[in-house]
Structures are given as C-alpha cells and as structure tokens.
Amino acid sequence: MSLNPCELEIDLFCRGLRVPSAVSLDGARGLRRTRAGLGSGLDLVIPTGSRLKPEIWMNAPVVETFAWTSPYVLAGTPTAYTVIDDRTGDRYPIGIPAQPRWYDRLTSRDVRMSRVGVLQGTYLGIYINPICEFWGSDLNCRFCTTGQNVASAEAAAKTVEDVVETCWAAREESGVTFVHLNGGFQGGRALEFVAPFVRAIKEEVGMLVGVQLTPERDFSRYDRLIDLGVDHFSFCVELMDPEWFARICPGKARTLGQDLFFEAMEHCAARLPRGAVSGEIIAGIEPVSHTIDGIERIASTGAFPTVCIFRPTIGSAMADWPSPGYDDMRVVMAALYDACRRHRIPIGLAPNIEVSLVVNPDDAAFLAPRTAGFYAYEAWRRMMRLIARPVFNRRLAARARSAPSRRAA
C-alpha cells in the first residue's frame, strides 16, 4: 500500500535516498551542509494533491552511510523526478527546487551570498555568530556538525551589510518571507550580538525574523529583541530525559541547564502571540515516550514543537549511530499534531514558510484520524490564517524603503 505524503517524508528521513550517478541534478540547489546540526541532504518537494496542504518540503539524507542501502531511489530528469520504492515498486513524483541565482552574487564586501545564508525549504537560514564555544571540546553536542561549516562552507564573519544585502536578494528573487538567525553558545552574549542584525533586517528589508540561540538568564534581552521586531524565537531543548540531555548535550547541561530552556520559552511565549515561539526536540535518540513528553511540555506553554528526526550526520560524534525506525517516528509525529490540536496551537499561519529539516506539525495532519476534533481544528486553522493575513502583511513591510546596493557575481 502506498504511503501518504507525510508517511513518505518520515520514511525518507529514516532511510534516506539513493541518487544514482546517471540521474542529473543540474540546476538543483545541490548537496550542502546547511546551517543546522542535523541537515546535510537534498531538498525535495512532495506534492500532496490535497487542499489540506498542497506540498511538503523535506531535506532527504543522501550522503550518510545508512542512505546507501535505502530502498528509495531517485529517477527521472530535472523536468520530472520520481522517487521509486524498490520494495513495492511504488512511484512518488517529487520536485527538486532549483538553486537561486542570487547564491552566486556578491555582497558589497565581495562575499558570495551563499556563504552568508542559504535556503532551507522556503526560508533563509543564516548562522549569525562566531563558531559555538562548545565546538572542539568535550562540551560539544554529540550530533552537531555546525562547527565544520563556519569558515569553510560559509563566511567566518558576517557583517550587518552582508546579511541585509543577502536578505534583500532572497526576498526579491526567491520570494522569501522569513529569515532564521541561529548560532551556537557565546557565553551569554549572543542575544546582544544579534540585535543589530534584527534591527537592520526589520528596517531595511521587511522580513519576518526568527532567532534561535542558546537561552540566556537575563530575560530583558528577549524583551529588547521583541521591541526591535523579532517575530519568532526557537529553543533547541533537543532531549527531554535529563540523563540523555546531559549525555548528548554536555555543554548545554553543564553551562545552562535544561530548565533554562523552558523558562526562556515560557517567558517569550507570554510576550509574543500564541504559536510565535517553538521548542525543538530530536526524535530517535532517547525513548519515544520521553520525546512525546517533550512535545507535550512544549505545547503546554503555548509554543509549537518542532521535531527533528535524528540523522547520524557525517563528521559528528554520532555518525555511526543507527538512524531511527519508521514506526517509532510515525508515532512521534502523530503525537506532534495531536498535541498542537489539543492545545490549540495555530500552526501553519505564516506565509511561505516551509521548513525542510523537520516534519512540520501541519505536515503531520496527514497522519491524524478524521474525527470531529480534527475537522474542528482544521476549520479553526483556516479561520486563523485569514485573520492573520493582514497582520503578517504589516510585519513584512520594511520600516525604511531604500534598498541596499547589490552586485552581480
């Protein structure tokens, strides 16, 4: 029996995708490490044929060892790709997004824009601060590879001008509405560091801005960023069980403590509209029951859970760990949607934001039983999207109208 779109997404995350050398990826975004610890693959677009959600974006593992024996194989040409399941013969049409032309453009400092930020799904991801202070020590998160990116695949230092010019190009040429500014531990200085970037993007470009940094104890710094116009905060809790958290994220456990993630999340959730804060958790390392507990705790704060399926990324300390099983991950993602439904989290409201590195909560609607509660929640979400549209239009308006200088490559 064929998988539905979200089931296919989950199985591809768990098993990966084989890309034969004869299959051309000409014009595609290509394979690159993204600005995230669990990203390394090929962005795909899975059409759903449903009004519920027309397409699902995902980043399929293709280079990790477990993907070499995947039953899924890519076939076709740049005009018509198909994923074939060798076990059943099922064929799934998919799209592979093209690499945008602005990737090869230069900022006014002669920095290639793809070394400033890249598309992750439909949004712009920028690793904003210097290399994480945990990197290269026994404090590093065991699954993470972001430290291998800085100064190799991307610029070691990014100025406000670099970021603003790249945001302009992404908005004008790719229709990007959301930029995600993330970074590693900076000894309690990261929120102050990111403030000039937030101010410039909101004033000069007019994009929705998300910030994902390790939590800090001075919550007034979050208030300042909210005043500057931050639209979204996300907190990488990673693991719910304290023992697993300390084992996999030793720097976070020893320096910050798990409780601080939830305290900062709750503070920001109380200041921003419901659903404007998220808590990120990794599925496939600790027992599934703990992951579901984490989903429930995040949703109970009024934040939405973002769930990454663990990927044993090449170069990480966990590169030899097994990829999680499909059955367990399906249970987790069904629980993700159910928690958002029960806690009335307004998922999927913001325009043109599809995250390819996770199973989005609204992706998981394809897993939910069609009960009265399901239809009531989906009707409420449609109504909320209509109500939110003028709000997002206002927040997408630049406060200053002059475009920065931009150069061709």
Side-chain angles (χ1 to χ4, degrees), residues 326-375:
Y326 166 81
D327 290 339
D328 282 346
M329 294 303 97
R330 193 190 189 286
V331 168
V332 167
M333 299 311 166
L336 166 65
Y337 178 85
D338 185 61
C340 292
R341 180 188 63 79
R342 287 184 290 102
H343 291 282
R344 275 297 190 268
I345 307 298
I347 56 178
L349 300 192
N352 192 34
I353 301 179
E354 295 293 339
V355 184
S356 61
L357 299 177
V358 302
V359 176
N360 296 283
D362 54 341
D363 296 354
F366 290 98
L367 309 177
R370 289 338 191 223
T371 62
F374 168 85
Y375 289 112

Side-chain angles (χ1 to χ4, degrees), residues 2-3 8 11-12 15-20 23 44 67 69-77 80-94:
S2 296
L3 303 177
L8 176 62
D11 212 22
L12 284 169
R15 300 180 188 274
L17 175 68
R18 286 183 287 130
V19 182
V23 175
L44 309 178
T69 57
S70 172
Y72 293 105
V73 60
L74 183 67
T77 68
Y81 287 110
T82 302
V83 168
I84 301 172
D85 186 343
D86 278 349
R87 298 167 298 183
T88 62
D90 287 326
R91 303 172 68 91
Y92 302 94
I94 57 100

Side-chain angles (χ1 to χ4, degrees), residues 228-245:
L228 288 175
V230 164
D231 301 278
H232 170 74
F233 286 105
S234 53
F235 297 91
C236 293
V237 181
E238 317 293 20
L239 298 150
M240 189 63 187
D241 181 89
E243 293 184 6
W244 277 102
F245 181 75

Side-chain angles (χ1 to χ4, degrees), residues 173-346:
E173 296 183 20
S174 299
V176 172
T177 60
F178 177 67
V179 58
H180 190 243
L181 308 177
N182 74 305
F185 179 70
Q186 298 295 318
R189 303 179 299 275
L191 293 178
E192 290 185 336
F193 180 88
V194 80
F197 295 90
V198 172
R199 180 189 293 109
I201 294 167
K202 297 302 289 189
E203 290 181 352
E204 299 182 42
V205 186
M207 296 176 84
L208 302 176
V209 177
V211 171
Q212 183 185 81
L213 298 166
T214 50
E216 298 180 16
R217 291 179 172 82
D218 184 354
F219 291 171
S220 68
R221 295 177 181 174
Y222 292 106
D223 297 338
R224 181 183 176 219
L225 288 176
I226 292 170
D227 291 341
L228 288 175
V230 164
D231 301 278
H232 170 74
F233 286 105
S234 53
F235 297 91
C236 293
V237 181
E238 317 293 20
L239 298 150
M240 189 63 187
D241 181 89
E243 293 184 6
W244 277 102
F245 181 75
R247 178 182 176 186
I248 303 299
C249 306
K252 290 181 176 181
R254 297 179 205 172
T255 307
L256 303 168
Q258 196 175 34
D259 288 343
L260 182 59
F261 286 82
F262 287 103
E263 291 164 4
M265 189 188 308
E266 290 165 1
H267 174 83
C268 294
R271 288 288 321 273
L272 288 169
R274 192 170 185 82
V277 175
S278 65
E280 185 169 301
I281 195 162
I282 301 172
I285 297 177
E286 63 185 340
V288 165
S289 60
H290 295 312
T291 303
I292 293 174
D293 287 345
I295 289 169
E296 183 66 22
R297 181 168 178 183
I298 292 165
S300 69
T301 70
F304 71 88
T306 55
V307 182
C308 295
I309 292 178
F310 168 67
R311 183 180 307 187
T313 308
I314 293 173
S316 74
M318 299 178 72
D320 294 329
W321 282 50
S323 181
Y326 166 81
D327 290 339
D328 282 346
M329 294 303 97
R330 193 190 189 286
V331 168
V332 167
M333 299 311 166
L336 166 65
Y337 178 85
D338 185 61
C340 292
R341 180 188 63 79
R342 287 184 290 102
H343 291 282
R344 275 297 190 268
I345 307 298

Side-chain angles (χ1 to χ4, degrees), residues 5-6 9 44-48 53-58 354 360 363-364 366:
C6 186
E9 177 188 23
L44 309 178
V45 182
I46 304 171
T48 70
K53 185 172 187 178
E55 58 189 26
I56 286 176
W57 287 68
M58 72 161 298
E354 295 293 339
N360 296 283
D363 296 354
F366 290 98

